[in-house]
Each structure stands twice: as C-alpha cells, then as structure tokens.
Amino acid sequence: MSSDNSSIKRTQATGDEVRELFLRFFEGKGHKVISSSPLIPYGDPSLLLTTAGMVQFKPYFLGEATPPNPRLASCQKCFRTTDIDSVGGAKHLTFFEMLGNFSVGDYFKAEAIEWAWEFLTCRICLPPQRLWVTIFPEDDESHKRWQEMGLPAERIKPSQENFWGPAGDWGPCGPCSEIHYDFGEEFGCGKYDCGPDCNCPRFLEIWNLVFTQYNQDKEGKRIRLPRPNIDTGMGLERTVAVMQGKLSVFDTDLFTPIIGQVSQLAGLTYGQDEVADRAIRIIAEHSRGITFLIADRVIPSNEGRGYILRRVLRRALLFGRRLELEQPFLVQVAESVIATMGHVYPELIASRDFILKVINLEEERFGQTLNAGLNWLGRMMEQAKVKGGKISGEEVFLLYDTYGFPKELAIEVASEEGLAVDLEGFEQQMEQQRERARAAQRFGSKERWTTHTFASLAVLPTDFVGYEQTSCQGKIVALVVEGYLQEEALAGQQVEVLLDRTPFYAEKGGQVADRGKIRGKHGVIVVAEAVWASPSFIVHQGEVSEGKIHFGEEVTAQVDNEQRLDIARNHTATHLLQAALRKVLGEHVYQAGSLVTPERLRFDFTHLGPIPKSQLIHIQHLVNEKVRQNLAVTTTTTTYTEAVAKGALAIFGEKYGEVVRVVEIGDPPFSIELCGGTHLSSTGEIGLFHIISEGSIGAGERRIEATTGRGAEALLEQHLAVLDRVAQKLEASPQEVPGRVEALVVELDKEHKQVLVLERKLASKEAESLLSEARVIDGVNILSARTLATSVETMREIGDQLKERLGSGVIVLGSILSDKPHFVAMVTPDLVARGFHAAEIARQVAKATGGGGGGRPELGQGSGRDKAKLDEVLAQVYHLCPTFSRNAKSTKS
C-alpha cells in the first residue's frame, strides 16, 4: 500500500485500506499528507465546527499563511447537521471522514480531474462506465477535460448547483465537478430523465472537485483569486460502500461493529425490522459524532457547538427509547466507536475516560427527564390533533425549558404524526427568555465565572507532569477572560486557563505556585499563578502578553526553570531542617506549618522554649553538612499505611488518600516525609542553607525563617556589604569591627550617663521655673506647661519634682519628641482619691492632637500626631480641669 502504483480489488477493500491508499496515491503525486485538524475550527469565527477538509487550509488559500507544501492531502474529521433529519438512510451522516487533495496556487483543473479519474478507475478499480459527473454550466474547461478522460458527453451533466460556496459566511469558493457512482438502472426511479440530480438510490455522490477561483467577502461579493486553488473532498464512507458493493454506508466495515453493539444492547437482530433498523443506524451514526466531538473538547451546552452536541446526543437517546433501551447505553456504544476507530485517531484512546464521563453525565441528566418529556409531548400532540394539527410554540418552548427537549426533536416526533410546530411562536418565547436574562444581567445578577467554577466542567482531571518535566504540550480545555468563559483572549486581558496537562505546580501544602508562560500559535500568556480549582483541576492565572489565545488550541506550557529550582532548593532544605531539628532538639518536634517561596522558607514546628544560639548554629551546620554530602532525593508512591510504617513523617491534621507520595533524602534516609511538592534530585543543588531568624509564634510553637541557594548568597553578600561599610566608617578591617564597636558602645554608655546627670540638673531648674505656671481652680492646683525635655524620662523627672513642691495637684507636661507631641500627666494621691485619673487626662490631651494615651491613676502618658496643637492643648487643660474629675469617676485603674 506504500506505492503510487498500488491498487485494490472491489469488495476486498476495508475502510482503513481505502483511506491509506488515497493518502499514499497523492503523496506519490508530490502532496504532503497533513493530519486531520480538530472538529473545533480554531481561529475561524465563521464556523462552529469543521465541515470540510479545506477548513484548516483556508489561511493558505487566502494568503494569510505559507503552506508547508503547495500540494496537500488529508483525511479530515468533519461534522455537519444539514442532513441530520436524513440520517438513518443509506448515505447521510453528521460525522464523516473527508479524503481530500489540495493545491495552493500550484496545479488546477486539468491535473485535479486527471488524478481523480486515475485514482477511481486505476487505483480502486471502479468501472468507468459507472461514473457520472455534474459540472457548473459555465465551466467549459472542466467539460472539455472530462471528455478528454474518456467520459462520454451524456454522462457529463450541467447543474446550477455545482458552485461551491465558502465554508462559512465568507471565504474561498468556486465552480465544482461532482463525481457520482451509478448503481444501475434497476435501483433507479424509472423516470426518463433519471440522473445524478435525482433523489432515487441509483446514484451516490462520492467526490467533489472544487475549483477555487474566487474569494467571497462578508457582503457576498466574489473577487477572483490571483492564484486559483484546488479543494477536493471524497466521502470515505460512501466510497467504501461502493468498493464493498453496498448500497448503504451502514453496511460497511466502518459501521458494522458499532451497529452490532447497538443491536446487542437492544436485544435485536439487525435487518429484520426497518423501523428498528433505522433507530439502530441513527444511534450508531450519532455515537460516532458524539465520541469525536467530545474527544475534541466540545462540551454539551445550550448554545453554539455545545448545543449541537447536546442535540445529537439527546436524539440518540430518543431513538434508544424507541428500542426500549431504558438504561444508560451510549457509553457502551462510544466504547465500540473508540475500539473501531481509535487506531486511526489516537485522540479517542487518549481521551477515552473524558469522553465516557461526559456522555455518562449527559445521559444521566437527560435520561431522567426524557420519558416525562415524551409523555408531555404525547399529550400535546393529542390536543393538537383535536385543535387543527399544529403544536404551539409556547408548548414546545415549555418542553424545552422544563425537560431540555430540543425543538428539533419535538419537530421530528411531531412530523411523524403528521403535525406541525409553530416555530415562530417558539422563537418569540426564546427571545422573551433572553430578554429576561439580559434584564437580570443589567441588575447585576449575572454570575461571574470563579476559579472554583472550573470544577463543574465535564472534563478530565488535569494531568500534572511537573514532577518529571518543566515544559509540555497541552490543550486549552477552558478559557476564562476577565471573569467570563470565552472562546478567545486578546493581548492585555486577564485570563484563567485550564489545560488538559500541565507542568505547572499549583500552590499547595505551603509551596507557592510555579510561574512561567503558555505559548500558543498566535499568542503568549504570562502565568503569574497556578491554583487548584478543586482537588482535580489546576487553573493557570495570568495575562495575555502578546497576540491572542483560543479555547481548544494546542499550546506549550513552560515553567520558569530558575524560579522552580529556587522553590525546590527551599523545599528540599525544609525537609532537611525538620530532620535536623528532630536530631538536635528531640523527636517531639513536628511540622506545624510551612511556606516555601523562591526567596525563602518558613518552617513552624512544635517546641516549648527558645532555641539557644549554640543549638541554632548546630542545626544550621547539620543541614549544610547534608547539603555537602550531596544526598540523593528520591520519590516513590505507596500506601499511607506502608509509608508511615516505614517511618515517613506526616503533617498533623492533614488528610491523605490511600496512595501517597514519599520523599526520601539519603540512603539510609536522613529524612523521609509524605510530600506532594517539587524537589531537587540531590541535596548538593541546595548550595547553601542559612537561618535568618528564629522565634516564638505562640504557646509551644516556634518559627524558623531561612534561605538557600541564590537567596542565601544574596543575603550573605548583603551582610558582608554592611560589614564592609561599617569597617570603612570605623577605619578598621572587618575583623577589627567587633572590638571597635564594643569600645564605642562603652564610650556611648559613659557619655549617656553624663547626659542624664546634666538633664537631672536642668530638670530641677526647669521645674523651679515652671512653678509659676500653677493655678488654683476649684480648690485644686493645676499646672500645665511645655518643657524643653528631650525624653519622656526627663519629663517624668520634672513632673516628680513639681509634684513634690506642689504637695497636691494635677500636672500636665508636653514636649516635642521625634517630631511628635508627647505628654506626661501626674496626679497626687489625695486627688486620685477625689476621682482625678492621670491616665484619662493623658488620653484626652493626646486625643486632641490626633493620638492616644493611657497609664495609671497617678501617672499617665500619651502622644499625638499634630505638633502644632501642643501649646493650644496645654492651655485648654486649665479649662478642662473640672471635667477630669467627673469623667474619671467611671474609669477603672
């Protein structure tokens, strides 16, 4: 099958062989074989789903991108709903494989027609006399070329239908030649003009050659392309049916395994009852489409491509009910699809669990209401027969709104009973519902998408590969742009992205998340955070830094390697630290909490008292000793019971599953813990471990902060730089600094004592001068004054001397210290007994300057913010004196 000269006999060809033969034939004609693109046409807003082989090549045809080869060939997954009501007949499908050869400005009509004829008559050996062609009436060039191939004029039929429009609302288009297979007059309608355009089963279109000469814009205007292109599409299923001598695609090897599975589930023999056979065919056909759509990450919903999937899936369930399949069955049919086609499309096998989960969820959801919906519809139809043969749009809307019954299914069921549906009335009801939703949004009731909402998606758990690698390929399975689920994100927008697989570690267990970038074909996301939306989903939060990103596109997720290593150094060091603490302090030490960042680590642990400096140094030395020994760091998975039995430490209060990850350092292990974080492969990569601080965080708990690697290096450089600056100031070497500083401290202490002596002498003199400020108010000595004191201690010294000389009184002193107003209030014991309270006085005067105060009944202190009010507040003390006693009566000392 690898040679251009390969051919196969009819009836012997399998679907796989025809597919392979086509691709190898055109590969021999200089075409590059391109893999099928997904059913979601990423980057093409004109289409919901991929409907033709040329969809992925539109950028080449439009000159927006350079093709890898001007000649291309593919077998493309396609999905169309235009013929969904005809599915179950001999030839119509929603999902199908389209074989195609394409020319991007290279060859044109002559070669395309010649090679098509060669493949059909020489490679798959179809009888030439069985082939007919329809052409666009004005396409004289094609007519002439077909005659040159030996096709008689009577089998070349002109048709106005032979103009192929764009795949969507705009795009490349042009005239086409359709090739039809003639099964024979005995299968025809008997009319004298029976031909390829006839709807009878005699003719089957198998290949369409589109000669793309124009580009149609959004207004419908056609502009001739500078270089015409070739876009062909051959239906694999139809061609295989012809090859295998079958009138129906469902009788080929592409369908028979799936047909057999449905028949077995229904307990029926296919081929004995046409009504049951049609239902079996519909279920088999729809199951293929359902399986492939979900594999390409289409999720059931009430709009867009999600609605198409939901409609097809629920239609399959409806026909299942007609076969009396009451229990869930679509999962088993999907299994058959995967088994039949997974060797050709490996994404089916890779997404198997995801596909089955989505189908199961949807089948359970709709299956519970399907019977009730059918019963309701039955009553509607009985009433409609009495009233005039039409079901109202309001009734069909209620059926949709209450039971999720697609209107298309209601129309189909009703038409089988000869009844019509008021579609205009249905659309009016839908529009009213949309208006109610818009009104609710205007009043702020629209629910924004939150991180935890990702857990509600019917997607597989995130495949985390970050233990083994820091970069991987993945697919965007959910895209939230500035709070709302979207198809596309542009530069500058904040996004949350869910990938099917990722190397990004999400914050958990005290370890912060990785940072990095997600690169798509046309854009980049800078990932600032990775978080767990649930125990199963990792969400990447960040900003589109350039270009644009699309839902469903393949991307490269790249972790910031330097940051990852910094985190790993600190995390592995945390394990060494706990082991060292237990060896030095005792085995009562257990982890009470931790934080691991790129810059440093924080470790909280159980211990009753402060750690002496000598022990702290010992702990640091022990950790660094294990760093220098370059111990191997290994990880294994085992059961929780086995891990604990082996000696692995677990965090108190943490919930663990049955299977746990164990991190061991050294052999025999110096450290062994249950841990899900990222680590180094050996301790030598830590470089250096340095403790920054140690202290109490509560009764029986201590905290150590430390750093490693680049952080420790930077910290030491900073400390040494400070030491060098101090040495320069002291005009000494770094080694001489401690002695010089100690000498300076002794000298400063001596001078400080001398200053205190001088301040006491000055305070005594100032106290004597302030006595004249005293006033007698209501029989109480009040003294309020500003002092020149340079400290609160000196203010208290002055106050004590004034209190001694007054004998009885209230004293309020103020001074500007450190650019803020400060106050000292004193009350003699006899006035305390009468209700005066120094702390309350200090509080009130400090409050007047924007601050506060407190203290005891006989001594209060306070400070404020507005130094400009100091003199004003001190002057007001004399007027406020009577209130001090009244306010103080309720004050507790």
Side-chain angles (χ1 to χ4, degrees), residues 766-776 782-785 802 806 878:
E766 189 170 9
E768 187 173 344
S769 67
L770 291 176
L771 281 172
S772 60
E773 301 289 334
R775 302 181 190 177
V776 178
I782 304 293
L783 195 159
S784 178
L802 288 171
L806 286 174
Y878 294 109

Side-chain angles (χ1 to χ4, degrees), residues 600-642:
R600 62 178 60 196
L601 66 92
R602 188 182 73 206
F603 186 72
D604 301 339
F605 57 97
T606 54
H607 188 60
L608 293 176
I611 303 175
K613 185 69 173 178
S614 59
Q615 282 191 324
L616 206 59
I617 292 173
H618 184 192
I619 292 164
Q620 180 169 287
H621 285 174
L622 182 55
V623 172
N624 279 312
E625 178 185 328
K626 299 304 175 184
V627 171
R628 290 189 295 274
Q629 289 175 359
N630 197 27
L631 303 177
V633 180
T634 59
T635 59
T636 57
T637 55
T638 184
T639 65
Y640 177 81
T641 303
E642 290 177 353

